[in-house]
Amino acid sequence: MSAPTFTSAQEPLPLQKKRSIVLVGLMGVGKSSIGKALAKRLHLPFVDSDAVIESNAGKTISEIFDTHGEEWFRRREYETIRDLLAGEALVLATGGGAFEDARIRACTRQYGISIWLQAPLKTLAERLARRGFERRPLLREGEPRAVLKKLMKRREPFYETADIITQSRSIPKPAVVENILEALEKLALKRRDNPLPANPLSGFEQVHIPLGGRSYDIMIGEGLLSRAGEFLQPFLKRPKVAVVADETVAEKHQDTLLESLKRKQIDAHVIPVPSGEASKSFEQLQKLIEQLLENRIERGDMLIAFGGGVVGDLAGCAAGLALRGIDFVQIPTTLLAQVDSSVGGKTGINVPQGKNLVGVFHQPRLVLADTSLLKTLPARHLMAGYAEVAKYALIGDLPLFNWLEARGKDIIAGDPAALRQAIWSSCSAKAAIVAADEHEAGVRALLNLGHSFGHALEHAAGYGDRLLHGEAVAIGMSLAFGFSCHLGLCAQEDVERVRAHLDGVGLPTSLHGLDFPVDGKTLGDAMLHDKKNKDGKLTLILAHGIGRCFRAEGVDLQQVSDFLDMAGQKSQ
C-alpha cells in the first residue's frame, strides 16, 4: 500500500477548525465514491460539483458540452466551486479539469485542503470503459485511451500542487480513506509550525508557493508596508536586515518601511540603487555584493528587495551569490513586479548579448505586495505592468481574459478592488506553474509568452525608457499571436481580439511608432540569444487561441524574420 505524500503548508490549520476537503484527479479515479466514504468519517456533507452543475442547468455534462460548449461549462464550474467552498465545510469532488483553473486552485488554498487521487492510466481506462466512454464528453474527441493519456500529461503538473497526494488504484476503498485521514492529521500538525501570523489582518489575501523547504507566501493588500516588520520578524535569526532600495522608491516610501522595522527593533542598513534597467549590470551587482560584505552581513541575515522588477532581479541575484546564498524578501512596488517578477525565484542581470542571461534561481522567503504603493506609480508604468496580467489570461485562462475585457480599464485607472483581484489572479496562476516547474524545464516556459519578441525589442531599444519591459511584452504577445495565425495555428479573430484589448488599455501592439529601427534580421538575431532555445533553433510560446498557448521548439529563424519584416511593413 502506497503512503500519501505531502506538499508544504500554506497557512496554519487549527485542529478544531474544519476546512473543506477538495478531491481532484482524472475522471474515473474514484473521487465520488471515496469522497462519500470520507465525508461520512469526517461528519461532513458530500457534494459533487458536476452534479450541482447538472442540477442547475437541467442537463447532463455531455448535453452541456454539446449545447453550450466547454467554455460555458468551465465558467459555471468555477462559479459553482467558488460558491461551495465559500460556504460551510464539506467534502467536494471536482471534475477532472477543474484544477487546471488557477482561480479554483486559489479558492481551494483559501478555503480547503486539496487531495490528488492518483491511479495508473490502465486502471482509469478500464474503469471508464466499464461505465461507457460516451458519458465523458472529452473522451469523444478521439481514441479514448489516447485522449486520457493526453489529459493526464497536461493536468498532472496542476494536480501535483495539491496538499496531499495519495493512491487510488485497486486498493480497497476503506484503506484509501484511512490513508487520507492519517494524512490530514499529519498535515494539520505540520501547519502549526508555519511562521506566518495565524490571523493576518482582515483585508489581506494570501497565495502560497508550495516548494517544499523553499515554500513561501505572497501577501496582497493595502497597508502591508507599514506592517513589514511584523511579517519579517519571524524569519530573522538576528534583528538586522539590508534594504536594497530603488532610489526613486526610497524617496517616497522608505520612511514607512524603516519605521515599521524600527517598531520591531530591527536594525536596517539601506543600500540605494539607481532607478532604471541599466542597474541590472555586472558593475552594479559587484558593487552591491561588496557593500553587503562591507556591512558584515552574515549567512543568517536577511536582504529586502524594495522596488520594482529591476531591484528585485538585482537584489535577488546578489542574495543568491553573497556568502553562497542568504535569505531575501521581496517588497515589490510596481504592478509588473507584484504580479510577475517578484514571484518565482528567477533573478538576474543583463549583458550585451541579451536580457537576464546571467543569474540564479533563488526563491524569496516572503513577498509583500502592498497595493497602496501603486497609487504613486506613473500611469505608463501601471499600464506596462498590466501586460503581465493579460499574459496569465492569454496563456491558459480564457475566463480571466473575459473578465479583463470588462475590467481592464478599471485596473489601469487604479480601482482598488479590480487591482487586488488582478494581482491575486496573476499570483495564483504563477504559483501553480512555479510549483509544477520551478526551474523552467517544462510548463513554466509558458510564462514567457511574448518575451522572446519583447526581449529582442528591448535589446534594440537599448534597455531604457524608450520601451518599458511591459510595453515590449505587449507588442511581443501581439506578434506571438500574429505569428501563430500566420502558421495557421489560431484564428485571425483571436489575434484581433488580443490586439483590441491591449490597444484599449493603452498598450502598444505593433512595430509602428517605435523611435528606433527594427527589422526581421535585427530582431531575429537578438532572439537567437533567448535562454529557451535549443540546438541553435528558436523556442517560442505560440497559441492555438486565447487561453491555449503551448511551447513550440525548433522554429525556423528565417520564417520568424520574414514574418517580422512583414509585420513591420503592415504597421507603416
Side-chain angles (χ1 to χ4, degrees), residues 95 170 249 308:
S170 56
V249 170

mmCIF file of all heavy atoms in Angstrom, residues 95 170 249 308:
data_model
loop_
_atom_site.group_PDB
_atom_site.id
_atom_site.type_symbol
_atom_site.label_atom_id
_atom_site.label_comp_id
_atom_site.label_asym_id
_atom_site.label_seq_id
_atom_site.Cartn_x
_atom_site.Cartn_y
_atom_site.Cartn_z
ATOM 1 N N GLY A 95 -14.584 18.016 -10.960
ATOM 2 C CA GLY A 95 -14.365 17.434 -12.269
ATOM 3 C C GLY A 95 -12.893 17.311 -12.576
ATOM 4 O O GLY A 95 -12.051 18.013 -11.995
ATOM 5 N N SER A 170 -6.199 -0.239 -7.100
ATOM 6 C CA SER A 170 -7.128 -1.311 -6.759
ATOM 7 C C SER A 170 -7.192 -1.494 -5.248
ATOM 8 O O SER A 170 -7.675 -2.494 -4.748
ATOM 9 C CB SER A 170 -6.666 -2.623 -7.414
ATOM 10 O OG SER A 170 -5.337 -2.923 -7.037
ATOM 11 N N VAL A 249 11.934 54.996 -5.344
ATOM 12 C CA VAL A 249 11.009 54.404 -4.371
ATOM 13 C C VAL A 249 11.387 54.834 -2.963
ATOM 14 O O VAL A 249 10.525 55.138 -2.131
ATOM 15 C CB VAL A 249 11.015 52.864 -4.486
ATOM 16 C CG1 VAL A 249 10.251 52.227 -3.334
ATOM 17 C CG2 VAL A 249 10.413 52.433 -5.822
ATOM 18 N N GLY A 308 10.944 47.964 -7.893
ATOM 19 C CA GLY A 308 10.303 47.247 -8.979
ATOM 20 C C GLY A 308 11.088 46.030 -9.412
ATOM 21 O O GLY A 308 11.929 45.505 -8.679
#
